């Protein structure tokens, strides 16, 4: 191990100083991206990502040996984490889990020092874990062919059109992996069972409208090349990648909010922006131009029922 790799650096974040160990440790070997690069990135985007993480239990995707090694998908906060890192103890079947909650820049920087490349957030907050404030449609291309991303764009448009009929906004985000998320902000009045049921019924209606292109069939063998409308994340303790989170893939792509007009951009891809290029978007948040207040599902559920009955 070189002397350079054993050096440590201190980062001041708010009222805390975070010691970054082995800052020159390479986490993305094909790109030469180091732990220090990851720390610097997360510190630079903290004003965007912290509001998306605040109050939410996290699952940490850690890559201590770099993205070529075996990842640690970690829910429990280790005992050695500093006292100032907020925890939330939440029930699970047969026990409980002590999750990290990232409320500030110091915690975000500390997680990066722990080689947490990707924070995956709950769709609910720790104070009301059974009542989500986000609903997610996860849209991945139906095949690995480059042209298949056009199906994701097309489906995102159809999804937003249906949400518009129901009186709901649909926020768009590249996942940094393969596809797009369409996200609906909720008012936390409905529980997960209600939200999941609504999402499934909406997906069923979309698939019924476009049976040759869309499906709700979870088994790949039964999809016949159609795009799967995945709503399975809408459940207690399930997670979704956070906006502005780095993905553990070559190039360090970043999950990036977009606006609806960008669906028409021929350059749009799931991994369009990376740790090194997303900075150009930080001055202008596409979601800031959208009404992101949490919405009730009461009236949309009734509208959805009527639409389904009228088209059935």
């Amino acid at each position: 191990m070189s002397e350079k790799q054993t050096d440590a650096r201190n980062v001041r974040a708010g009222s805390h100083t975070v010691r970054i160990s082995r800052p020159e440790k390479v986490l993305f070997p094909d790109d030469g991206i180091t732990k220090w690069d990851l720390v610097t990135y997360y510190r630079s985007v903290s004003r965007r990502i912290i509001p998306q993480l605040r109050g939410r239990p996290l699952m940490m995707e850690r890559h201590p040996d770099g993205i070529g090694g075996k990842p640690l998908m970690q829910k429990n906060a280790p005992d050695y984490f500093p006292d100032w890192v907020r925890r939330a103890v939440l029930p699970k079947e047969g026990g409980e889990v002590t999750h990290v909650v990232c409320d500030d820049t110091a915690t975000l920087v500390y997680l990066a020092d722990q080689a947490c490349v990707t924070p995956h957030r709950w769709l609910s907050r720790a104070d009301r874990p059974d009542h989500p404030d986000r609903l997610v449609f996860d849209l991945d291309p139906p095949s690995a062919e480059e042209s298949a991303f056009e199906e994701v764009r097309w489906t995102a448009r159809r999804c937003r059109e249906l949400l518009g009929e129901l009186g709901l906004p649909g926020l768009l985000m590249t996942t940094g992996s393969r596809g797009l998320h369409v996200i609906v902000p909720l008012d936390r009045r409905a529980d997960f069972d209600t939200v999941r049921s609504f999402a499934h019924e909406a997906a069923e209606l979309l698939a019924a409208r476009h049976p040759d292109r869309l499906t709700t069939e979870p088994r790949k063998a039964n999809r016949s090349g159609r795009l799967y409308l995945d709503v399975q994340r809408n459940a207690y303790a399930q997670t979704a990648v956070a906006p502005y989170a780095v993905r553990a893939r070559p190039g360090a792509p970043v999950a990036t909010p977009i606006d609806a007009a960008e669906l028409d951009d021929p350059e749009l891809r799931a991994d369009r922006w990376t740790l090194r290029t997303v900075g150009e978007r930080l001055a202008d948040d596409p979601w800031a131009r959208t009404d992101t207040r949490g919405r009730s599902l009461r009236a949309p559920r009734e509208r959805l029922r009527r639409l389904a009955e009228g088209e059935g």
Side-chain angles (χ1 to χ4, degrees):
M1 183 184 300
S2 70
E3 181 180 351
K4 188 176 183 181
Q5 284 182 312
T6 61
D7 288 344
R9 302 183 195 178
N10 291 329
V11 173
R12 187 70 178 174
S15 59
H16 303 289
T17 298
V18 182
R19 181 179 182 272
I20 308 302
S21 62
R22 301 186 68 195
E24 301 304 322
K25 168 71 178 178
V26 176
L27 299 181
F28 293 77
D30 292 343
D31 307 284
I33 294 173
T34 65
K35 185 196 287 187
W36 183 250
D37 294 325
L38 186 71
V39 167
T40 301
Y41 167 76
Y42 275 124
R43 192 181 189 197
S44 72
V45 301
S46 62
R47 72 184 188 278
R48 295 292 187 208
I49 193 173
I50 293 297
Q52 303 295 334
L53 298 176
R54 186 174 289 119
R56 300 179 186 280
L58 298 183
M59 179 176 70
M60 300 170 285
E61 182 182 340
R62 298 175 60 196
H63 292 264
D65 298 318
I67 66 168
K70 185 177 180 180
L72 300 177
M73 307 302 286
Q74 190 167 358
K75 296 181 179 180
N76 265 306
D79 292 339
Y80 63 80
F81 273 27
D83 292 342
W84 48 261
V85 171
R86 182 182 167 193
R87 280 90 159 165
V89 180
L90 297 171
K92 68 171 186 176
E93 186 174 355
E96 59 187 25
V97 178
T98 302
H99 289 271
V100 168
V101 179
C102 184
D103 285 346
D104 53 38
T105 302
T107 300
L108 187 62
V109 168
Y110 183 81
L111 294 181
D113 176 60
Q114 297 298 305
C116 176
V117 172
T118 312
H120 299 266
R121 63 177 186 170
W122 279 37
L123 302 182
S124 59
R125 298 180 187 269
D127 60 338
R128 298 189 71 191
D130 295 308
H131 290 73
D133 65 351
R134 294 290 183 272
L135 181 158
V136 175
F137 295 90
D138 186 7
L139 311 178
D140 282 341
S143 74
E145 297 177 9
E146 187 172 339
S147 61
F149 192 75
E150 178 54 39
E151 286 297 296
V152 177
R153 298 170 187 266
W154 182 88
T155 304
R157 295 186 190 102
R158 303 294 84 76
C159 189
R160 292 188 78 252
E161 287 171 2
L162 175 59
L163 290 171
E165 292 177 59
L166 301 175
L168 294 171
L171 307 179
L172 296 168
M173 183 182 78
T174 67
T175 63
S177 179
R178 299 182 61 230
L180 298 174
H181 282 177
V182 182
I183 303 167
V184 181
L186 302 175
D187 64 2
R188 303 209 296 171
R189 294 184 180 180
D191 61 16
F192 265 113
D193 287 342
T194 300
V195 172
R196 183 171 61 250
S197 176
F198 175 85
H200 180 72
E201 290 168 12
E204 290 279 7
L205 179 57
L206 270 180
R209 286 179 171 181
H210 310 284
D212 57 331
R213 300 180 74 162
L214 304 177
T215 182
T216 58
E217 173 56 59
R219 296 182 60 186
K220 289 184 179 180
N222 295 335
R223 295 178 190 168
S224 303
R226 296 169 293 176
L227 187 144
Y228 172 50
L229 297 166
D230 187 356
V231 296
Q232 299 303 313
R233 297 179 187 276
N234 299 288
Y236 179 84
Q238 295 297 305
T239 62
V241 63
Y244 298 104
V246 178
R247 306 308 301 269
R249 299 168 66 91
V254 171
T256 308
I258 63 174
D259 61 35
E262 290 180 282
L263 290 175
D264 298 325
D265 182 351
E267 298 298 319
L268 182 67
R269 302 185 310 274
D271 59 355
R272 167 77 178 275
W273 293 280
T274 71
L275 175 150
R276 287 174 169 155
T277 65
V278 77
E280 66 194 41
R281 297 181 63 86
L282 296 181
D284 182 27
D285 178 10
W287 290 359
R289 300 189 294 273
T290 304
D291 184 356
T292 58
R293 60 187 171 87
R295 307 301 179 90
S296 169
L297 286 183
R298 181 174 298 178
R301 288 174 66 196
E302 179 59 25
R303 294 188 189 108
L304 180 60
R305 182 189 64 79
R306 291 198 301 267
L307 281 175
E309 287 178 353
E311 299 178 21

